[in-house]
Amino acid sequence: MKNNNRTVIEKIKNLKQKRNAIILAHNYQFGEVQDIADFVGDSLDLSQKAASTSADVIVFCGVHFMAETASILCPDKTVLLPDASAGCPMANMVTAASLRDKKRQFPDATVVCYINSSAEVKAESDICCTSANALKLVKNLDNPYIIFVPDQYLGHYISTMTGKDMILWPGYCPVHARIKPEHILRLRREYPQARVAVHPECTPEVIKLADKVLSTSGLCRYAASDEVEELIVGTEIGIIHRLKKENPDKRFIPVTEQAICPNMKKTTLPKILLCLETMSPEVKVPEDIRLKAKKAVDRMLAAG
Ligand code: CIZ
Ligand code: SF4
């Protein structure tokens, strides 16, 4: 490890104690960020962790909607996002105003929003979901009319798996859209023994070629199972760090090195240190929006 990195890490650890802070990192963060975090996970794990921690300060190493979710659940804590510009282009593909228009068009529909959405959009939704629980939550909805925002590919996958006819929003993740069927076909020829697992944010053409369709937490569990010796991984490449760390004797092959989320990679060790020093940038959801958005998030958490 570089010497200056070591100094930064020492300083982060000291300040973290002084501030009574917890560092949460998403599975797509840089390896060195994951390594200094108190907890690494997907957005569902991290929101549950945020809801249950006794820390006063949450440093959220992820993107804006994730820090907002922590703020929705923990209004009394200070939530810091080390780089204020770390957003999610997919989350920005739906606005509260455009969703209100859609609801007027389909007034009887239940609105399910993927956690990759702004607090304002969550406030307009009935229930929130993540890629880890979307299938189960949608399956259990009584209402046959469902509006799903903003990921059309996750929505399409869930609609296929549940047989429910869903009104899909045209959003998508530009990072997962870089994963192409050709990549998988080529790697299958190169590693004939390997299993293929892809994220449900991938296109239907990619999903068709996979053995498993999994959220990142699902991927981590699958990778640890006896079924897997070699795994071709179709999601953001930050996950490879954790997979290798937890399964040092197995082989993980990214479907493409191009699947890298520039927003997830905005978090660096110096920015984590700076945010603990200055206690900013802070993410705080306004109370009126928070209360409405919390209903959708609470319904998700209550569903288990
Ligand atoms: O839910 C999340 O954290 C995301 C964005 C991906 C995943 O499957 O973990
Ligand atoms: Fe958003 Fe895609 Fe980046 Fe996840 S990987 S934060 S969905 S742009």
Side-chain angles (χ1 to χ4, degrees):
M1 193 189 302
K2 285 175 286 181
N3 256 341
N4 53 344
N5 252 6
R6 207 172 282 150
T7 318
V8 173
I9 291 168
E10 272 314 302
K11 287 184 178 170
I12 292 173
K13 283 189 176 152
N14 289 337
L15 252 186
K16 199 179 73 166
Q17 254 185 339
K18 195 168 130 198
R19 304 274 196 219
N20 188 24
I22 185 174
I23 301 181
L24 303 180
H26 191 268
N27 290 325
Y28 294 160
Q29 292 287 302
F30 278 128
E32 60 187 27
V33 171
Q34 295 188 27
D35 291 343
I36 56 121
D38 297 292
F39 191 77
V40 181
D42 65 0
S43 49
L44 179 61
D45 303 331
L46 296 175
S47 59
Q48 283 164 338
K49 207 71 192 172
S52 66
T53 179
S54 61
D56 297 317
V57 177
I58 297 172
V59 178
F60 215 113
C61 304
V63 293
H64 193 262
F65 75 82
M66 297 178 178
E68 273 191 334
T69 309
S71 167
I72 290 166
L73 291 167
C74 319
D76 301 328
K77 298 187 197 304
T78 305
V79 180
L80 302 173
L81 183 65
D83 186 316
S85 72
C88 168
M90 169 159 67
N92 296 338
M93 290 175 189
V94 57
T95 62
S98 55
L99 178 53
R100 276 195 293 272
D101 283 346
K102 189 58 98 187
K103 283 164 68 177
R104 273 191 287 274
Q105 235 179 304
F106 301 96
D108 298 327
T110 296
V111 179
V112 181
C113 71
Y114 190 24
I115 196 155
N116 298 42
S117 56
S118 67
E120 286 85 353
V121 164
K122 290 188 175 77
E124 290 293 333
S125 302
D126 297 301
I127 185 163
C128 184
C129 71
T130 72
S131 44
N133 59 22
L135 207 52
K136 177 175 154 196
L137 294 186
V138 170
K139 209 180 268 174
N140 289 341
L141 289 179
D142 292 330
N143 192 347
Y145 303 105
I146 297 166
I147 298 173
F148 189 87
V149 294
D151 187 359
Q152 59 179 309
Y153 297 139
L154 174 62
H156 177 268
Y157 172 68
I158 290 171
S159 158
T160 317
M161 296 300 287
T162 58
K164 294 198 183 196
D165 191 13
M166 289 155 53
I167 300 151
L168 302 180
W169 200 265
Y172 67 97
C173 165
V175 177
H176 286 84
R178 287 185 207 139
I179 297 173
K180 304 285 185 205
E182 308 82 89
H183 296 137
I184 299 194
L185 294 171
R186 190 183 332 124
L187 287 171
R188 275 221 195 260
R189 282 194 297 272
E190 210 174 318
Y191 302 94
Q193 306 298 328
R195 302 289 157 131
V196 177
V198 306
H199 196 274
E201 285 173 21
C202 292
T203 62
E205 295 72 32
V206 166
I207 286 180
K208 241 184 259 162
L209 297 174
D211 299 312
K212 294 273 178 191
V213 183
L214 296 166
S215 66
T216 58
S217 52
L219 237 157
C220 291
R221 278 192 298 276
Y222 181 56
S225 74
D226 291 341
E227 196 182 318
V228 174
E229 276 308 318
E230 284 184 328
L231 186 63
I232 296 169
V233 179
T235 190
E236 210 276 350
I237 58 171
I239 188 80
I240 302 283
H241 175 79
R242 179 169 166 194
L243 293 174
K244 281 188 179 158
K245 198 167 162 178
E246 291 177 357
N247 309 277
D249 300 330
K250 298 186 180 184
R251 181 173 206 170
F252 300 101
I253 306 125
V255 169
T256 163
E257 299 282 351
Q258 304 293 312
I260 176 155
C261 176
N263 282 284
M264 283 285 179
K265 268 49 184 184
K266 283 182 180 172
T267 316
T268 59
L269 295 179
K271 285 186 208 169
I272 294 172
L273 176 58
L274 189 65
C275 89
L276 276 167
E277 279 168 356
T278 59
M279 292 294 279
S280 74
E282 185 178 356
V283 172
K284 192 153 185 67
V285 176
E287 192 61 9
D288 53 332
I289 306 275
R290 187 186 80 80
L291 289 174
K292 286 194 224 159
K294 188 167 184 296
K295 284 190 191 154
V297 176
D298 280 346
R299 271 190 208 118
M300 167 182 85
L301 294 175

Short mmCIF file of all heavy atoms in Angstrom, two decimals, residues 26-28 41-46 63 65-66 88 90 114-116 129-132 176 199-201 214-219 235 239 264, ligand 1:
data_model
loop_
_atom_site.label_atom_id
_atom_site.label_comp_id
_atom_site.label_asym_id
_atom_site.label_seq_id
_atom_site.Cartn_x
_atom_site.Cartn_y
_atom_site.Cartn_z
N HIS A 26 -20.94 0.72 -1.10
CA HIS A 26 -21.66 -0.14 -2.05
C HIS A 26 -20.68 -1.11 -2.71
O HIS A 26 -19.50 -0.81 -2.86
CB HIS A 26 -22.37 0.72 -3.11
CG HIS A 26 -23.33 -0.07 -3.93
ND1 HIS A 26 -22.97 -0.67 -5.12
CD2 HIS A 26 -24.63 -0.41 -3.72
CE1 HIS A 26 -24.01 -1.32 -5.60
NE2 HIS A 26 -25.04 -1.17 -4.78
N ASN A 27 -21.22 -2.26 -3.13
CA ASN A 27 -20.43 -3.29 -3.80
C ASN A 27 -19.71 -2.80 -5.05
O ASN A 27 -18.80 -3.47 -5.54
CB ASN A 27 -21.36 -4.44 -4.22
CG ASN A 27 -21.87 -5.24 -3.05
OD1 ASN A 27 -21.16 -5.43 -2.07
ND2 ASN A 27 -23.12 -5.71 -3.14
N TYR A 28 -20.12 -1.67 -5.62
CA TYR A 28 -19.49 -1.16 -6.85
C TYR A 28 -18.37 -0.16 -6.56
O TYR A 28 -17.80 0.42 -7.49
CB TYR A 28 -20.54 -0.47 -7.73
CG TYR A 28 -21.63 -1.37 -8.30
CD1 TYR A 28 -22.83 -0.81 -8.75
CD2 TYR A 28 -21.47 -2.74 -8.43
CE1 TYR A 28 -23.85 -1.59 -9.29
CE2 TYR A 28 -22.48 -3.53 -8.96
CZ TYR A 28 -23.66 -2.95 -9.40
OH TYR A 28 -24.65 -3.72 -9.94
N GLY A 41 -22.14 -3.61 0.96
CA GLY A 41 -23.33 -4.36 0.55
C GLY A 41 -24.04 -3.71 -0.62
O GLY A 41 -23.52 -2.79 -1.25
N ASP A 42 -25.25 -4.22 -0.89
CA ASP A 42 -26.07 -3.60 -1.93
C ASP A 42 -26.96 -2.55 -1.26
O ASP A 42 -26.89 -2.35 -0.04
CB ASP A 42 -26.89 -4.66 -2.69
CG ASP A 42 -27.93 -5.37 -1.82
OD1 ASP A 42 -28.03 -5.05 -0.62
OD2 ASP A 42 -28.63 -6.23 -2.35
N SER A 43 -27.79 -1.89 -2.04
CA SER A 43 -28.53 -0.77 -1.46
C SER A 43 -29.53 -1.22 -0.41
O SER A 43 -29.82 -0.48 0.52
CB SER A 43 -29.19 0.08 -2.54
OG SER A 43 -29.89 -0.74 -3.42
N LEU A 44 -30.03 -2.46 -0.53
CA LEU A 44 -30.96 -2.96 0.50
C LEU A 44 -30.21 -3.20 1.81
O LEU A 44 -30.61 -2.70 2.87
CB LEU A 44 -31.64 -4.25 0.01
CG LEU A 44 -32.61 -4.88 1.00
CD1 LEU A 44 -33.76 -3.94 1.31
CD2 LEU A 44 -33.16 -6.19 0.47
N ASP A 45 -29.10 -3.94 1.74
CA ASP A 45 -28.28 -4.18 2.95
C ASP A 45 -27.89 -2.86 3.59
O ASP A 45 -27.95 -2.71 4.81
CB ASP A 45 -26.93 -4.85 2.61
CG ASP A 45 -27.05 -6.15 1.87
OD1 ASP A 45 -28.06 -6.84 2.05
OD2 ASP A 45 -26.11 -6.48 1.11
N LEU A 46 -27.47 -1.92 2.77
CA LEU A 46 -26.94 -0.66 3.30
C LEU A 46 -28.04 0.18 3.92
O LEU A 46 -27.82 0.84 4.94
CB LEU A 46 -26.20 0.13 2.20
CG LEU A 46 -24.95 -0.56 1.63
CD1 LEU A 46 -24.37 0.24 0.48
CD2 LEU A 46 -23.88 -0.78 2.69
N VAL A 63 -23.91 6.34 -4.44
CA VAL A 63 -24.41 7.47 -5.23
C VAL A 63 -25.58 8.15 -4.49
O VAL A 63 -26.09 7.62 -3.49
CB VAL A 63 -24.79 7.05 -6.67
CG1 VAL A 63 -23.53 6.65 -7.44
CG2 VAL A 63 -25.81 5.93 -6.67
N PHE A 65 -28.83 8.72 -4.65
CA PHE A 65 -30.12 8.17 -4.18
C PHE A 65 -29.92 7.27 -2.95
O PHE A 65 -30.82 7.13 -2.13
CB PHE A 65 -30.87 7.43 -5.31
CG PHE A 65 -30.31 6.08 -5.67
CD1 PHE A 65 -30.63 4.95 -4.93
CD2 PHE A 65 -29.47 5.92 -6.76
CE1 PHE A 65 -30.12 3.70 -5.27
CE2 PHE A 65 -28.95 4.68 -7.11
CZ PHE A 65 -29.28 3.57 -6.35
N MET A 66 -28.75 6.68 -2.83
CA MET A 66 -28.49 5.79 -1.68
C MET A 66 -28.34 6.62 -0.41
O MET A 66 -28.84 6.24 0.66
CB MET A 66 -27.22 4.97 -1.93
CG MET A 66 -27.35 4.06 -3.12
SD MET A 66 -25.83 3.15 -3.44
CE MET A 66 -26.39 2.17 -4.84
N CYS A 88 -26.90 8.97 -10.16
CA CYS A 88 -27.18 7.78 -10.96
C CYS A 88 -27.98 8.23 -12.17
O CYS A 88 -29.13 8.66 -12.02
CB CYS A 88 -27.97 6.76 -10.14
SG CYS A 88 -28.63 5.42 -11.15
N MET A 90 -29.56 6.62 -14.33
CA MET A 90 -30.86 5.95 -14.46
C MET A 90 -31.90 6.58 -13.52
O MET A 90 -33.04 6.80 -13.93
CB MET A 90 -30.75 4.45 -14.15
CG MET A 90 -32.12 3.82 -14.01
SD MET A 90 -32.16 2.07 -14.22
CE MET A 90 -31.26 1.50 -12.81
N TYR A 114 -38.06 1.39 -8.29
CA TYR A 114 -36.75 0.80 -8.01
C TYR A 114 -36.03 1.77 -7.07
O TYR A 114 -36.21 2.99 -7.19
CB TYR A 114 -36.01 0.69 -9.35
CG TYR A 114 -34.73 -0.11 -9.36
CD1 TYR A 114 -34.46 -1.09 -8.42
CD2 TYR A 114 -33.80 0.09 -10.38
CE1 TYR A 114 -33.29 -1.84 -8.47
CE2 TYR A 114 -32.63 -0.63 -10.45
CZ TYR A 114 -32.37 -1.60 -9.48
OH TYR A 114 -31.21 -2.31 -9.55
N ILE A 115 -35.24 1.26 -6.17
CA ILE A 115 -34.56 2.12 -5.20
C ILE A 115 -33.66 3.14 -5.90
O ILE A 115 -33.39 4.22 -5.36
CB ILE A 115 -33.79 1.27 -4.15
CG1 ILE A 115 -33.43 2.12 -2.95
CG2 ILE A 115 -32.57 0.59 -4.78
CD1 ILE A 115 -33.24 1.35 -1.66
N ASN A 116 -33.25 2.83 -7.12
CA ASN A 116 -32.48 3.78 -7.94
C ASN A 116 -33.43 4.86 -8.46
O ASN A 116 -33.79 4.90 -9.63
CB ASN A 116 -31.84 3.08 -9.16
CG ASN A 116 -30.85 2.01 -8.79
OD1 ASN A 116 -31.08 1.24 -7.87
ND2 ASN A 116 -29.74 1.96 -9.50
N CYS A 129 -38.50 -1.00 -4.26
CA CYS A 129 -37.88 -2.32 -4.29
C CYS A 129 -36.43 -2.18 -4.70
O CYS A 129 -36.02 -1.14 -5.20
CB CYS A 129 -38.61 -3.23 -5.29
SG CYS A 129 -38.33 -2.77 -7.01
N THR A 130 -35.64 -3.23 -4.47
CA THR A 130 -34.28 -3.26 -5.00
C THR A 130 -34.20 -4.47 -5.93
O THR A 130 -35.16 -5.26 -6.00
CB THR A 130 -33.22 -3.43 -3.88
OG1 THR A 130 -33.30 -4.77 -3.40
CG2 THR A 130 -33.45 -2.46 -2.74
N SER A 131 -33.05 -4.64 -6.56
CA SER A 131 -32.94 -5.80 -7.45
C SER A 131 -32.98 -7.10 -6.64
O SER A 131 -33.29 -8.15 -7.18
CB SER A 131 -31.68 -5.72 -8.31
OG SER A 131 -30.59 -5.33 -7.53
N ALA A 132 -32.68 -7.01 -5.33
CA ALA A 132 -32.65 -8.22 -4.51
C ALA A 132 -34.06 -8.69 -4.13
O ALA A 132 -34.27 -9.87 -3.87
CB ALA A 132 -31.82 -7.97 -3.25
N HIS A 176 -24.78 -1.00 -17.39
CA HIS A 176 -25.18 -2.37 -17.71
C HIS A 176 -25.55 -2.53 -19.18
O HIS A 176 -25.44 -3.62 -19.73
CB HIS A 176 -26.33 -2.81 -16.79
CG HIS A 176 -25.87 -3.10 -15.39
ND1 HIS A 176 -25.72 -2.12 -14.45
CD2 HIS A 176 -25.47 -4.27 -14.81
CE1 HIS A 176 -25.26 -2.66 -13.33
NE2 HIS A 176 -25.11 -3.96 -13.52
N HIS A 199 -26.69 -9.21 -13.91
CA HIS A 199 -27.59 -8.36 -13.12
C HIS A 199 -28.87 -8.11 -13.92
O HIS A 199 -28.82 -7.97 -15.14
CB HIS A 199 -26.88 -7.03 -12.82
CG HIS A 199 -27.52 -6.26 -11.73
ND1 HIS A 199 -28.56 -5.41 -11.97
CD2 HIS A 199 -27.29 -6.23 -10.40
CE1 HIS A 199 -28.94 -4.88 -10.80
NE2 HIS A 199 -28.18 -5.36 -9.84
N PRO A 200 -30.03 -8.01 -13.23
CA PRO A 200 -31.27 -7.77 -13.97
C PRO A 200 -31.38 -6.38 -14.61
O PRO A 200 -32.35 -6.12 -15.32
CB PRO A 200 -32.37 -7.97 -12.91
CG PRO A 200 -31.69 -7.80 -11.60
CD PRO A 200 -30.27 -8.24 -11.80
N GLU A 201 -30.39 -5.51 -14.40
CA GLU A 201 -30.36 -4.24 -15.15
C GLU A 201 -29.84 -4.45 -16.57
O GLU A 201 -29.83 -3.52 -17.38
CB GLU A 201 -29.49 -3.20 -14.43
CG GLU A 201 -30.14 -2.61 -13.20
CD GLU A 201 -29.21 -1.72 -12.39
OE1 GLU A 201 -28.21 -1.23 -12.94
OE2 GLU A 201 -29.49 -1.51 -11.19
N LEU A 214 -29.04 -12.12 -11.05
CA LEU A 214 -28.91 -11.86 -9.61
C LEU A 214 -28.54 -10.42 -9.30
O LEU A 214 -27.78 -9.78 -10.03
CB LEU A 214 -27.79 -12.77 -9.04
CG LEU A 214 -28.04 -14.29 -9.11
CD1 LEU A 214 -26.73 -15.03 -8.85
CD2 LEU A 214 -29.10 -14.71 -8.11
N SER A 215 -29.05 -9.95 -8.16
CA SER A 215 -28.59 -8.68 -7.60
C SER A 215 -27.15 -8.89 -7.11
O SER A 215 -26.67 -10.03 -7.07
CB SER A 215 -29.47 -8.32 -6.40
OG SER A 215 -29.26 -9.26 -5.37
N THR A 216 -26.48 -7.83 -6.70
CA THR A 216 -25.09 -8.03 -6.27
C THR A 216 -25.02 -8.87 -5.00
O THR A 216 -24.09 -9.67 -4.83
CB THR A 216 -24.35 -6.70 -6.07
OG1 THR A 216 -25.03 -5.90 -5.11
CG2 THR A 216 -24.22 -5.94 -7.39
N SER A 217 -26.00 -8.72 -4.09
CA SER A 217 -25.97 -9.55 -2.88
C SER A 217 -26.22 -11.02 -3.26
O SER A 217 -25.58 -11.93 -2.73
CB SER A 217 -26.98 -9.06 -1.85
OG SER A 217 -28.26 -8.95 -2.44
N GLY A 218 -27.12 -11.23 -4.22
CA GLY A 218 -27.39 -12.57 -4.72
C GLY A 218 -26.15 -13.17 -5.37
O GLY A 218 -25.83 -14.36 -5.20
N LEU A 219 -25.43 -12.33 -6.10
CA LEU A 219 -24.20 -12.76 -6.76
C LEU A 219 -23.16 -13.23 -5.75
O LEU A 219 -22.49 -14.25 -5.95
CB LEU A 219 -23.62 -11.56 -7.51
CG LEU A 219 -23.39 -11.73 -9.00
CD1 LEU A 219 -23.37 -10.39 -9.68
CD2 LEU A 219 -22.12 -12.47 -9.26
N THR A 235 -21.97 -7.57 -14.32
CA THR A 235 -22.44 -6.37 -13.64
C THR A 235 -21.25 -5.41 -13.50
O THR A 235 -20.18 -5.68 -14.06
CB THR A 235 -23.09 -6.70 -12.27
OG1 THR A 235 -23.74 -5.54 -11.75
CG2 THR A 235 -22.09 -7.20 -11.25
N ILE A 239 -17.63 -5.13 -8.10
CA ILE A 239 -18.03 -6.32 -7.34
C ILE A 239 -16.93 -7.39 -7.35
O ILE A 239 -16.84 -8.22 -6.44
CB ILE A 239 -19.36 -6.90 -7.92
CG1 ILE A 239 -19.94 -8.02 -7.04
CG2 ILE A 239 -19.16 -7.45 -9.31
CD1 ILE A 239 -20.69 -7.57 -5.87
N MET A 264 -20.00 5.81 -9.39
CA MET A 264 -19.59 5.01 -8.23
C MET A 264 -18.11 5.24 -7.94
O MET A 264 -17.67 5.16 -6.80
CB MET A 264 -19.83 3.52 -8.50
CG MET A 264 -21.28 3.12 -8.37
SD MET A 264 -21.72 3.07 -6.61
CE MET A 264 -23.44 2.62 -6.73
O1 CIZ B 1 -29.40 -2.57 -5.26
C1 CIZ B 1 -28.27 -2.18 -5.49
O2 CIZ B 1 -27.47 -1.90 -4.62
C2 CIZ B 1 -27.79 -2.05 -6.87
C3 CIZ B 1 -27.71 -0.73 -7.46
C4 CIZ B 1 -27.39 -3.13 -7.49
C5 CIZ B 1 -27.42 -4.43 -6.83
O3 CIZ B 1 -27.98 -5.37 -7.37
O4 CIZ B 1 -26.89 -4.56 -5.73
#
